[in-house]
Amino acid sequence: GAVVSQHPSRVICKSGTSVKIECRSLDFQATTMFWYRQFPKQSLMLMATSNEGSKATYEQGVEKDKFLINHASLTLSTLTVTSAHPEDSSFYICSASRRATEAFFGQGTRLTVV
Amino acid sequence: KQEVTQIPAALSVPEGENLVLNCSFTDSAIYNLQWFRQDPGKGLTSLLLIQSSQREQTSGRLNASLDKSSGRSTLYIAASQPGDSATYLCAVSDSGYALNFGKGTSLLVTP
């Protein structure tokens, strides 16, 4: 099967610092990766779509300068939350897809900003 | 914009019961529909994927149906077990494979 690994699973950081979350497709090349965010008792909401080698496409209301996405290779995408604040505390999860197939999800990252 | 609604929001059943979770979506022009399971604080486990051309998919005790024209899907769980307790998410995708999720149904199966 297709395996997507996300790291770290949990992170606590101080307000004002930056946090990087990694998403790797372990056994396939992911042409597209997606980043989602889930607040308590809410749906998972798409934040951005990234294609390897090009700039990410952000959903309305998501600040591209705050949530930096890099998809430098076909197996790795990173999400950096810059100058994190307590309101950025959330569950972040990535998914990866290869051409013409379903998307596969990572394990998610619980971010707590204190 | 695609809106996905799941009913009920929460459900508690005794072990052994058969149950149905409902999902509806507003735009019938979907590429596929997926049902996921999410355990507390964990990622998503894909349960069933139904392509837009399909009517249903089955895996073990799970059966999912899709009526694209009416914008509805159901997830049927047979002979429920305490280990089935989790949040079940319905999601639909357009051709880009980005998913629109419902808020989920929180299921509790009591022994």
Side-chain angles (χ1 to χ4, degrees), chain A residues 95-112:
Chain A
S95 73
S97 72
R98 51 193 173 191
R99 201 174 299 278
T101 67
E102 69 190 272
F104 302 92
F105 282 81
Q107 305 94 317
T109 298
R110 174 72 58 191
L111 170 63
T112 303

Side-chain angles (χ1 to χ4, degrees), chain A residues 34 36 38 43 91 100-101 107, chain B residues 38 42-43 96-97 99 102-103:
Chain A
F34 305 91
Y36 296 83
Q38 184 181 35
S43 305
F91 183 71
T101 67
Q107 305 94 317
Chain B
Q38 185 176 29
K42 300 291 180 63
Y97 294 100
L99 293 172
K103 290 186 178 182

Side-chain angles (χ1 to χ4, degrees), chain B residues 10-19 77 79-86 88 106-111:
Chain B
L11 182 63
S12 180
V13 300
E15 181 177 7
E17 275 203 6
N18 302 324
L19 56 100
I77 302 177
S80 59
Q81 303 170 357
D84 295 331
S85 298
Y88 290 81
S106 178
L107 173 65
L108 176 64
V109 181
T110 56

